Structures are given as C-alpha cells and as structure tokens.
Amino acid sequence: MTTIKSDGEHTKIYNDIGEQAFASNVVNGNGLNPKELLEASLALCHVLVTKKLLTRDGIAYDAADISATVEATKDPDGKNHFSDFNVTLTLPKHLEADYIQKLLVSVERACTIGNTLQANARIHVTQK
C-alpha cells in the first residue's frame, strides 16, 4: 500500500516500511508530481520485467545497461486524462534482433502497470 502524507511543509510518499520519496505539485520540482510518478511506475515495471525475463532465459546482462523512459501525453482535445504512454526501453547491446523483438512483446504482456493502464481499471474512492 502507498500512503501520501503532508507535514505542513512537505508532502511525502510512504510504503509499509516508511518514507520513500517527496511529492511535488509541479513538473521537475523537488519531488515527483503525479504525472512523473505514473511515468516512473510504468518505466520501473518495464525494467523489472526485462531483468526477470533475461534471467529466466539465462542471458547475462549488466543491470546498468537496462533503463526505461516514459512520456505520458494528452490528446489535444482538452480531456483531463493521458491518452498515450511512450515507453523507450534501453537494452544490453549484445542481444540479437530476433530476441529483442520477442523480448519486447513479452515485456509488454508481463508488465502489470501497462496492462492496468490499457484495461481502464476502475477506481473506488472512499472516506475514512
């Protein structure tokens, strides 16, 4: 579970073991804003799944050679939601082209965050 709390001066992001990050209400601020957190979640999912699949397939890699960037964009129609998530996955250079194509398909299928975004999950808000 993730919790957001403010202490009056800072907004902080917690998981079950404690404080993990600062939140921000501006782009590129001191902390991550909601868009940046969403992009980070999708990027992290792709990186973790990629590492898991490479390990499963017995392919040696340097973790520093795997990274992802995500850019969420809105349609110009003015609706208040993101319509596209552009993921750029950086992979180790020694992978063969045929394997890369299969890997990208597998990563996309296995990323829970990506699957959730594509499925239009329901959100239930309650008051405590």
Side-chain angles (χ1 to χ4, degrees), residues 25-85:
N25 63 346
V26 297
V27 175
N28 295 319
N30 185 21
L32 298 172
N33 71 22
K35 177 183 183 270
E36 293 164 335
L37 284 167
L38 184 59
E39 291 168 335
S41 182
L42 184 57
L44 178 59
C45 186
H46 277 77
V47 166
L48 294 177
V49 169
T50 298
K51 290 177 181 179
K52 184 175 184 178
L53 293 175
L54 289 171
T55 299
R56 177 202 69 188
D57 294 343
I59 297 175
Y61 64 90
D62 182 342
D65 293 336
I66 301 170
S67 63
T69 60
V70 175
E71 182 178 11
T73 58
K74 293 182 179 182
D75 276 333
D77 63 9
K79 291 185 180 174
N80 194 23
H81 66 95
F82 297 110
S83 58
D84 294 279
F85 293 88

Side-chain angles (χ1 to χ4, degrees), residues 104-126:
L104 292 177
V105 169
S106 296
V107 168
E108 188 173 350
R109 287 181 181 162
C111 176
T112 301
I113 302 302
N115 291 332
T116 301
L117 291 169
Q118 291 180 9
N120 297 316
R122 292 175 300 281
I123 299 171
H124 309 278
V125 179
T126 60

